Amino acid sequence: MDIIKMTELDLIQTKVDLTSRGSILEYMSKMLYHAGYLNDQKAFLQAVLERENHSNTGLENGLAIPHSKSSAVKKAGFAVITLKEPLKKEDWPSISQSNQVEAVFLLAIPEAEAGSTHLKLLSELSIRLMDQKFLDKVKAVHTRDELFKVLESGIVEEQVKDENRQIKSSDKYIVGVTACATGIAHTYMAAEALEKAAKELGVKIKVEKQGANGLEDKITAVDVANADGVIFAVDTKVKDKGRFNGKPFVEVKVAEPLKNGKAVIEKVLAQPQGVVNESDDNSQTGSAKKGLKSELMASVMTGISYMIPLLVAAGLMLGIAKLVWILVLGMDPGVIGAAEYNSAGGVVQFLHYLDSFGNMLFKFIYPVFAMFAAYSISDRVGLVSGFAGGLFAAGLHYTFWGIEGGIPSGFLGALVLGIAAGYISRFLNEKIKLSKNLNAMKPMFLVPGISVLAIFILNLFIVDPVFGGLNKMIADAITSMSGSGKLGLSAVIAAATAFDLGGPVNKAAGAIAIGLSADKIFPLTPRVLAIVIPPLGLGLSTMIDKYVVGRRVYPDDLRVVGGTSFLLGFLAISEGAIPFMLRNPLITIPINIIGAILGSCTAVAMGAVQWLPLPAIWGWPLVENLPAYLVGLVVGTLFIAFANIFVRNYLIKRKEAKK
């Protein structure tokens, strides 16, 4: 392959006088930016630095291959420099502790690009750099023109991707899977390292690359049947892992074969970690367990990632219905859900049902979150009990049991029940042993039946009483404050409203606030402001973080949901901010509460008054002293935005300092 198509003379420098990883990456990202490969140099540099924190890109023999997929990349390519003096071995973390980096290839890949010729070319570059002769030639040149010619001509013959390149005399055959976070360099280099090591050991091998191009050199059922073992060299979850059921395995980081591929192969043949469990893709006998903290975090992140599309869809349905109802039909948004419109016909009935449909979707946010949080821990066997736990968290059981005024456990219940469902299902799946003839009963009958019963008991006797009791205490506290001072009552209502973003505490505060307003005792000003301030503040923080602290402080999925949260905030749909709360409750909840209190009390103190339950933007003209209301809104929103940015940036810096 012609890898020179992916670079140009302006992206090549030799004998550069730089002495640190940070200065090198900044220098090379500027090269890519000025050559027209990037639309945002700082954003790309930040993405590269985040990738550096994930795993070492320093390799061995003086080589480093930093790389990243980013939306800041306009077209795929790479820059390359050689250094005047090799770095000290501690200046660039490498898979070989003695590595002193002197040749750096920085790969830039557009975020949306997958399966293209560009990625294949970059993968080929990664493989070629594994060849010592080619790398020595790169490091030996003195001018960029010479280096360009080395890259242009190449000195490595094309690799033959078939069984003929394997040694035929060996009676051992193994298969492997490689996968790194970005699916580019390490994925292919690890595969190449395993193939070379196997050749030297006289072992036949076939390696499947699970990278940005999808599955390459896919391992077939025949390969698995003939294999003496399987190697998982991965930093991500293996796709379709169940096809290796019953095979001895070792699982290592994707960089491990680059350190010592022979040792990895010898281990799978002589001392495997265990066998892939026939009944559960995620459960392996004798495998090393993930740390509890990382497993819990992965569970929460998985639940959020599956919940976000439902959240966005629900908000979109509500937004369309309400906006058309108000702007086109000119009707009161407060009555869109009235039963009288069930048979109104035409556009009115359509919008009435669309609004109801959006509200119905919101009821399933917690079931979807809990279901996939459980799935992350126990795979498919946890889906049913996780979904059941989410139904309890959403309070749907009170509807079917005919209990009025029941307070569900909300997001805390979804967290507890979803995670519990995962661990209970995994425990049952590992411990229940049946004969082969009865084995199908385990995933279809025993595990879901017992785990759902366990979740029912857990919710009935622990989760509902604990969190229901907590919520009732908060509601009683709010009621007892009804005769207190204006600002004190405003602070309590605002805090309770912002606490769980549409959850039971929020609703308890709403019921009390609306009652006080209906009796003309106290206006709804703090209530309506506390509904919109958190989603607006969190959404805004995802948009301005890089301008405030010079970096992105949110992962990609939360940046995506941030824009949605901001828009939903204007529609008074606070649930758009729930993913932030689920990901980092200890950060998000206190900041939401403080921001809501500051904004609400500021507006109330300045004389803003809102008696109607219309927190969305179309209700703002009905506010008495609107300027005071907007000042409070801005104060609360900006506090939440900046507090989140500074706190999250501090935590990132502390983590970097520890590393």
Side-chain angles (χ1 to χ4, degrees), residues 359-423:
N359 282 310
M360 182 187 73
L361 290 179
F362 268 122
K363 296 289 187 182
F364 288 91
I365 288 175
Y366 289 138
V368 169
F369 168 80
M371 177 169 64
F372 285 102
Y375 167 80
S376 175
I377 295 171
S378 60
D379 210 80
R380 289 169 291 184
V381 293
L383 287 172
V384 174
S385 55
F387 184 74
L391 293 176
F392 284 128
L396 293 176
H397 56 303
Y398 291 127
T399 302
F400 289 98
W401 293 350
I403 298 176
E404 295 184 5
I407 301 177
S409 53
F411 82 95
L412 291 174
L415 275 172
V416 173
L417 293 171
I419 291 171
Y423 283 114

XYZ file of all heavy atoms in Angstrom, residues 359-423:
483
model
N -44.158 11.715 27.274
C -44.192 11.480 28.721
C -44.064 9.994 29.047
O -43.429 9.612 30.038
C -45.485 12.040 29.311
C -45.433 13.547 29.469
O -44.487 14.092 30.016
N -46.444 14.240 28.969
N -44.682 9.150 28.204
C -44.584 7.710 28.419
C -43.141 7.229 28.245
O -42.649 6.412 29.031
C -45.497 6.971 27.439
C -45.489 5.451 27.628
S -46.403 4.579 26.338
C -45.276 4.748 24.962
N -42.452 7.755 27.229
C -41.061 7.366 27.014
C -40.191 7.731 28.214
O -39.285 6.980 28.587
C -40.511 8.030 25.744
C -41.052 7.526 24.404
C -40.428 8.303 23.261
C -40.797 6.037 24.233
N -40.471 8.889 28.823
C -39.698 9.301 29.989
C -39.851 8.301 31.141
O -38.942 8.144 31.960
C -40.120 10.691 30.454
C -39.315 11.796 29.838
C -39.928 12.790 29.100
C -37.941 11.840 29.998
C -39.191 13.809 28.538
C -37.191 12.857 29.437
C -37.817 13.850 28.696
N -40.987 7.619 31.207
C -41.197 6.634 32.265
C -40.226 5.459 32.157
O -39.996 4.738 33.127
C -42.637 6.100 32.215
C -43.713 7.136 32.502
C -43.714 7.548 33.957
C -44.894 8.462 34.273
N -44.871 8.919 35.685
N -39.677 5.258 30.952
C -38.818 4.095 30.734
C -37.335 4.450 30.721
O -36.495 3.606 30.381
C -39.204 3.401 29.425
C -40.508 2.665 29.509
C -41.698 3.300 29.180
C -40.560 1.362 29.955
C -42.906 2.643 29.285
C -41.764 0.696 30.064
C -42.949 1.332 29.727
N -36.999 5.680 31.105
C -35.589 6.058 31.182
C -34.858 5.195 32.203
O -33.795 4.625 31.930
C -35.459 7.553 31.531
C -35.870 8.411 30.346
C -34.022 7.878 31.938
C -35.880 9.886 30.651
N -35.415 5.069 33.391
C -34.759 4.281 34.435
C -34.765 2.786 34.125
O -33.759 2.099 34.388
C -35.404 4.561 35.787
C -35.091 5.938 36.320
C -36.070 6.714 36.935
C -33.817 6.480 36.200
C -35.785 7.984 37.417
C -33.522 7.742 36.685
C -34.514 8.491 37.292
O -34.228 9.743 37.767
N -35.855 2.215 33.590
C -35.773 0.800 33.203
C -34.677 0.504 32.188
O -33.969 -0.501 32.309
C -37.168 0.518 32.626
C -38.067 1.460 33.362
C -37.256 2.701 33.540
N -34.528 1.385 31.187
C -33.474 1.158 30.189
C -32.096 1.304 30.818
O -31.190 0.499 30.565
C -33.646 2.133 29.001
C -32.419 2.102 28.092
C -34.894 1.781 28.213
N -31.931 2.315 31.655
C -30.635 2.495 32.327
C -30.285 1.273 33.172
O -29.182 0.721 33.069
C -30.663 3.737 33.213
C -29.488 3.823 34.145
C -28.262 4.283 33.700
C -29.601 3.402 35.468
C -27.161 4.324 34.548
C -28.511 3.450 36.324
C -27.292 3.914 35.865
N -31.207 0.848 34.036
C -30.923 -0.271 34.939
C -30.709 -1.567 34.162
O -29.863 -2.392 34.534
C -32.073 -0.430 35.939
N -31.455 -1.759 33.085
C -31.338 -2.969 32.289
C -29.928 -3.108 31.708
O -29.295 -4.168 31.808
C -32.373 -2.943 31.159
C -32.318 -4.121 30.212
S -33.749 -4.193 29.096
C -33.537 -2.682 28.160
N -29.407 -2.021 31.144
C -28.096 -2.120 30.508
C -26.948 -1.951 31.499
O -25.824 -2.373 31.214
C -28.003 -1.131 29.351
C -28.785 -1.588 28.146
C -30.025 -1.054 27.854
C -28.290 -2.591 27.337
C -30.756 -1.488 26.769
C -29.007 -3.038 26.237
C -30.248 -2.494 25.952
N -27.217 -1.351 32.651
C -26.213 -1.374 33.714
C -25.993 -2.816 34.168
O -24.851 -3.253 34.389
C -26.649 -0.501 34.885
N -27.086 -3.563 34.299
C -26.984 -4.982 34.652
C -26.321 -5.783 33.536
O -25.502 -6.674 33.789
C -28.374 -5.543 34.948
N -26.641 -5.442 32.303
C -26.058 -6.123 31.139
C -24.538 -5.987 31.121
O -23.814 -6.927 30.785
C -26.653 -5.536 29.866
C -25.945 -5.910 28.593
C -26.157 -7.142 27.986
C -25.062 -5.028 27.977
C -25.508 -7.482 26.806
C -24.413 -5.347 26.807
C -24.644 -6.576 26.219
O -23.986 -6.907 25.054
N -24.037 -4.814 31.512
C -22.594 -4.586 31.525
C -21.890 -5.533 32.483
O -20.756 -5.947 32.231
C -22.303 -3.134 31.932
O -20.926 -2.903 32.064
N -22.556 -5.906 33.566
C -21.951 -6.773 34.587
C -22.115 -8.253 34.254
O -21.188 -9.042 34.404
C -22.570 -6.470 35.968
C -22.220 -5.038 36.394
C -22.105 -7.479 37.017
C -22.966 -4.569 37.624
N -23.307 -8.626 33.787
C -23.601 -10.061 33.638
C -24.004 -10.475 32.235
O -24.418 -11.607 32.020
C -24.724 -10.449 34.605
O -25.901 -9.703 34.336
N -23.898 -9.553 31.277
C -24.282 -9.819 29.895
C -25.791 -10.067 29.805
O -26.551 -9.544 30.619
C -23.475 -10.982 29.319
C -23.274 -10.818 27.809
O -22.391 -10.060 27.402
O -24.045 -11.443 27.056
N -26.221 -10.869 28.840
C -27.652 -10.977 28.535
C -28.498 -11.512 29.679
O -29.676 -11.181 29.794
C -27.840 -11.866 27.293
C -27.373 -11.212 26.013
C -27.329 -12.194 24.863
N -26.275 -13.183 25.057
C -25.969 -14.125 24.162
N -26.662 -14.219 23.050
N -24.994 -14.977 24.401
N -27.917 -12.328 30.528
C -28.718 -12.927 31.598
C -29.194 -11.890 32.618
O -30.096 -12.159 33.404
C -27.935 -14.036 32.334
C -27.686 -15.209 31.404
C -26.625 -13.496 32.897
N -28.601 -10.684 32.607
C -29.013 -9.652 33.554
C -30.051 -8.688 33.022
O -30.549 -7.825 33.765
N -30.410 -8.805 31.749
C -31.305 -7.820 31.133
C -32.679 -7.780 31.798
O -33.205 -6.703 32.095
C -31.461 -8.120 29.634
C -30.255 -7.784 28.746
C -30.469 -8.312 27.333
C -30.010 -6.286 28.705
N -33.263 -8.939 32.023
C -34.640 -8.984 32.522
C -34.733 -8.437 33.941
O -35.581 -7.581 34.244
C -35.187 -10.432 32.459
C -36.561 -10.504 33.126
C -35.292 -10.885 31.009
N -33.865 -8.909 34.833
C -33.931 -8.430 36.215
C -33.533 -6.959 36.308
O -34.063 -6.211 37.141
C -33.034 -9.285 37.118
O -31.710 -9.329 36.629
N -32.609 -6.517 35.451
C -32.261 -5.101 35.424
C -33.439 -4.251 34.998
O -33.715 -3.188 35.575
N -34.168 -4.707 33.986
C -35.361 -3.989 33.526
C -36.409 -3.931 34.634
O -37.040 -2.883 34.862
C -35.935 -4.687 32.293
C -37.115 -3.985 31.681
C -36.954 -2.827 30.949
C -38.400 -4.493 31.843
C -38.042 -2.176 30.383
C -39.487 -3.854 31.281
C -39.309 -2.694 30.553
N -36.589 -5.043 35.346
C -37.551 -5.070 36.452
C -37.161 -4.068 37.540
O -38.012 -3.349 38.081
C -37.631 -6.483 37.040
N -35.851 -3.998 37.845
C -35.398 -3.023 38.832
C -35.668 -1.600 38.384
O -36.063 -0.743 39.188
N -35.473 -1.321 37.101
C -35.755 0.007 36.569
C -37.226 0.370 36.641
O -37.584 1.534 36.862
N -38.108 -0.628 36.441
C -39.546 -0.380 36.581
C -39.887 0.051 38.002
O -40.698 0.968 38.214
C -40.339 -1.641 36.209
C -40.293 -2.084 34.741
C -41.050 -3.402 34.568
C -40.902 -1.026 33.825
N -39.288 -0.609 38.975
C -39.485 -0.202 40.373
C -38.962 1.216 40.605
O -39.612 2.034 41.263
C -38.778 -1.172 41.323
C -39.483 -2.485 41.505
C -38.814 -3.684 41.340
C -40.829 -2.519 41.866
C -39.463 -4.896 41.513
C -41.485 -3.723 42.048
C -40.807 -4.917 41.871
N -37.771 1.514 40.073
C -37.179 2.841 40.273
C -38.055 3.938 39.681
O -38.115 5.049 40.215
C -35.781 2.888 39.650
N -38.738 3.632 38.582
C -39.613 4.612 37.936
C -40.976 4.715 38.617
O -41.772 5.590 38.282
C -39.796 4.249 36.466
N -41.269 3.801 39.548
C -42.535 3.862 40.281
C -43.719 3.279 39.557
O -44.871 3.485 39.976
N -43.466 2.516 38.480
C -44.589 1.962 37.720
C -45.345 0.900 38.517
O -46.519 0.629 38.232
C -44.085 1.376 36.400
C -43.536 2.410 35.399
C -42.980 1.719 34.170
C -44.618 3.389 34.992
N -44.708 0.307 39.506
C -45.404 -0.708 40.309
C -46.542 -0.087 41.113
O -47.567 -0.732 41.361
C -44.427 -1.429 41.235
C -43.646 -0.543 42.152
N -42.849 0.490 41.706
C -43.521 -0.537 43.523
C -42.277 1.088 42.735
N -42.664 0.490 43.850
N -46.405 1.172 41.520
C -47.477 1.815 42.274
C -48.735 1.967 41.417
O -49.860 1.858 41.912
C -47.025 3.186 42.774
C -45.968 3.116 43.849
C -44.771 3.816 43.724
C -46.159 2.356 45.004
C -43.792 3.758 44.709
C -45.192 2.287 45.993
C -44.015 2.986 45.838
O -43.057 2.927 46.818
N -48.540 2.207 40.123
C -49.687 2.329 39.218
C -50.450 1.022 39.144
O -51.685 0.990 39.241
C -49.206 2.734 37.810
O -48.498 3.973 37.892
C -50.378 2.876 36.855
N -49.730 -0.091 38.995
C -50.386 -1.391 38.850
C -50.925 -1.910 40.178
O -51.864 -2.700 40.209
C -49.414 -2.401 38.231
C -49.125 -2.153 36.785
C -47.982 -1.469 36.391
C -50.007 -2.569 35.800
C -47.718 -1.229 35.054
C -49.754 -2.338 34.464
C -48.604 -1.666 34.083
N -50.312 -1.476 41.276
C -50.804 -1.904 42.581
C -51.934 -1.011 43.086
O -52.520 -1.291 44.137
C -49.656 -1.889 43.607
C -48.591 -2.910 43.330
C -48.636 -3.921 42.415
C -47.312 -3.012 43.972
N -47.471 -4.643 42.437
C -46.627 -4.121 43.384
C -46.663 -2.296 44.977
C -45.352 -4.507 43.771
C -45.384 -2.693 45.371
C -44.737 -3.788 44.771
N -52.242 0.036 42.337
C -53.327 0.932 42.731
C -53.007 1.783 43.945
O -53.912 2.205 44.673
N -51.726 2.039 44.182
C -51.312 2.855 45.333
C -51.136 4.298 44.881
O -50.300 4.593 44.020
C -49.994 2.325 45.939
C -50.190 0.904 46.464
C -49.492 3.250 47.047
C -48.920 0.273 47.000
N -51.921 5.184 45.433
C -51.810 6.596 45.089
C -50.816 7.276 46.031
O -50.805 7.020 47.232
C -53.174 7.278 45.190
C -54.192 6.755 44.171
C -55.500 7.530 44.229
O -55.567 8.518 44.997
O -56.426 7.142 43.514
N -50.003 8.136 45.461
C -49.044 8.880 46.275
C -47.793 8.114 46.639
O -46.996 8.586 47.461
N -47.606 6.926 46.037
C -46.374 6.178 46.303
C -45.162 6.912 45.749
O -45.205 7.433 44.628
N -44.089 6.966 46.523
C -42.891 7.696 46.106
C -41.842 6.702 45.629
O -41.319 5.920 46.431
C -42.336 8.553 47.259
C -43.394 9.545 47.730
C -41.075 9.288 46.826
C -42.960 10.391 48.910
N -41.505 6.690 44.338
C -40.516 5.738 43.826
C -39.105 6.125 44.245
O -38.847 7.231 44.723
C -40.684 5.830 42.309
C -41.208 7.216 42.080
C -42.069 7.543 43.273
N -38.179 5.213 44.009
C -36.798 5.436 44.450
C -35.981 6.271 43.485
O -34.886 6.716 43.820
C -36.109 4.087 44.676
O -36.225 3.263 43.532
N -36.446 6.465 42.247
C -35.782 7.356 41.306
C -34.404 6.886 40.885
O -34.123 5.699 40.816
N -33.529 7.861 40.618
C -32.229 7.508 40.046
C -31.374 6.698 41.023
O -30.613 5.820 40.611
C -31.493 8.766 39.581
C -30.761 9.500 40.659
C -29.421 9.271 40.894
C -31.417 10.433 41.444
C -28.745 9.945 41.889
C -30.745 11.114 42.432
C -29.398 10.875 42.665
N -31.501 6.948 42.326
C -30.737 6.153 43.292
C -31.194 4.695 43.277
O -30.388 3.770 43.343
C -30.884 6.746 44.693
C -30.207 8.100 44.922
C -30.551 8.640 46.302
C -28.700 7.986 44.749
N -32.496 4.507 43.166
C -33.021 3.149 43.068
C -32.574 2.462 41.800
O -32.245 1.263 41.804
N -32.556 3.215 40.682
C -32.107 2.637 39.416
C -30.648 2.197 39.515
O -30.268 1.135 39.006
C -32.287 3.646 38.284
N -29.816 3.003 40.168
C -28.413 2.641 40.358
C -28.275 1.362 41.176
O -27.605 0.403 40.768
C -27.680 3.782 41.068
C -27.136 4.932 40.230
C -26.632 6.045 41.132
C -26.024 4.454 39.314
N -28.940 1.345 42.328
C -28.811 0.210 43.244
C -29.392 -1.063 42.628
O -28.756 -2.127 42.619
C -29.498 0.515 44.585
C -29.523 -0.728 45.480
C -28.789 1.664 45.300
N -30.599 -0.963 42.088
C -31.274 -2.153 41.565
C -30.626 -2.659 40.282
O -30.544 -3.873 40.057
C -32.753 -1.852 41.346
C -33.562 -1.595 42.627
C -34.968 -1.095 42.287
C -33.646 -2.853 43.473
N -30.182 -1.739 39.404
C -29.528 -2.166 38.172
C -28.231 -2.903 38.451
O -27.960 -3.972 37.881
N -27.410 -2.349 39.347
C -26.142 -2.992 39.685
C -26.386 -4.308 40.428
O -25.725 -5.321 40.163
C -25.281 -2.032 40.524
C -24.818 -0.855 39.648
C -24.087 -2.749 41.127
C -24.155 0.265 40.411
N -27.348 -4.295 41.351
C -27.666 -5.530 42.076
C -28.139 -6.615 41.121
O -27.751 -7.789 41.253
C -28.735 -5.253 43.134
N -28.962 -6.248 40.151
C -29.450 -7.229 39.174
C -28.294 -7.857 38.406
O -28.284 -9.061 38.133
C -30.429 -6.558 38.208
N -27.310 -7.035 38.055
C -26.155 -7.564 37.334
C -25.378 -8.577 38.150
O -25.046 -9.670 37.664
N -25.086 -8.240 39.395
C -24.293 -9.143 40.226
C -25.070 -10.404 40.620
O -24.507 -11.504 40.675
C -23.796 -8.419 41.476
C -22.619 -7.512 41.197
C -22.731 -6.132 41.329
C -21.399 -8.045 40.782
C -21.643 -5.299 41.057
C -20.314 -7.229 40.517
C -20.446 -5.854 40.654
O -19.370 -5.037 40.378
